Amino acid sequence: MNVLIQKGFNLERAGPVAKLYEEAFGAKFASAIPDKAKRIQLLSDCFVPEFSFTAIFEDEVIGLAGFQQPNGSLTSGIGMKQLIGKLGTLKGLWACLVFSLFERKPKSQELVMDGISVDSRFRGRGIGSRLLDSIIAHAVDNGFETIRLDVIDSNPRARRLYESKGFIAVNEEHFPYLKWLIGFSGSTTMVLKVASLT
């Protein structure tokens, strides 16, 4: 199949891209914003496309990989002002609190992965691997020293993909007391040293 990998996406595609993101990560944010339609709308309105790569097949976005660097991220448009404006004061502040649990600021010369999502109809065809390759190439081309990501304990398939690209586990965290809130009970931080690729 002829799948095009490109940097970013046109804003008119924001709705379908938000649905794709929701398919992969919606359960993670459900406690912050229980209404699925509101989650999708918030993402659609607040995405910053330049911090992503997308997979396109027959003019449809079927894959997404977001990333964060010191000057912004795919989801950097989601802040307290936007959350309160769309959800109201109490629900907005609650969402801010939950989202803060996922916050991972990049260090100097570091790129942080925001996750990879592939349409369920197209999984197992190497699309996630190609999206990850694009992020790695972006890091190399822009002089980043490391790429960091967190993979949750309930997604061993993703971890195997990252390991196949040279990512090394550097830290593991377990927080079973938060599973009711964020949908998983542990995660592993993995790092790829970009210098080793050049």
Side-chain angles (χ1 to χ4, degrees), residues 55-75:
I56 311 293
F57 176 64
E58 295 184 348
D59 204 38
E60 179 185 1
V61 178
I62 62 167
L64 170 72
F67 60 89
Q68 181 179 177
Q69 53 192 56
N71 64 327
S73 73
L74 175 63
T75 55

Side-chain angles (χ1 to χ4, degrees), residues 94-164:
W94 170 252
C96 286
L97 174 64
V98 176
F99 285 152
S100 71
L101 298 173
F102 302 106
E103 192 169 349
R104 300 165 295 158
K105 293 292 185 184
K107 301 172 185 175
S108 176
Q109 299 303 307
E110 180 179 64
L111 182 147
V112 174
M113 284 270 302
D114 269 345
I116 294 175
S117 174
V118 176
D119 187 307
S120 58
R121 297 170 297 163
F122 298 94
R123 289 174 190 160
R125 305 190 188 191
I127 295 169
S129 180
R130 289 182 61 192
L131 286 165
L132 181 55
D133 286 342
S134 295
I135 285 187
I136 293 171
H138 171 80
V140 170
D141 293 343
N142 288 274
F144 289 97
E145 295 176 359
T146 56
I147 303 172
R148 176 166 54 96
L149 59 86
D150 290 316
V151 59
I152 62 176
D153 56 2
S154 58
N155 196 354
R157 183 175 180 176
R159 178 166 178 163
R160 288 194 296 270
L161 170 62
Y162 300 136
E163 288 174 338
S164 74

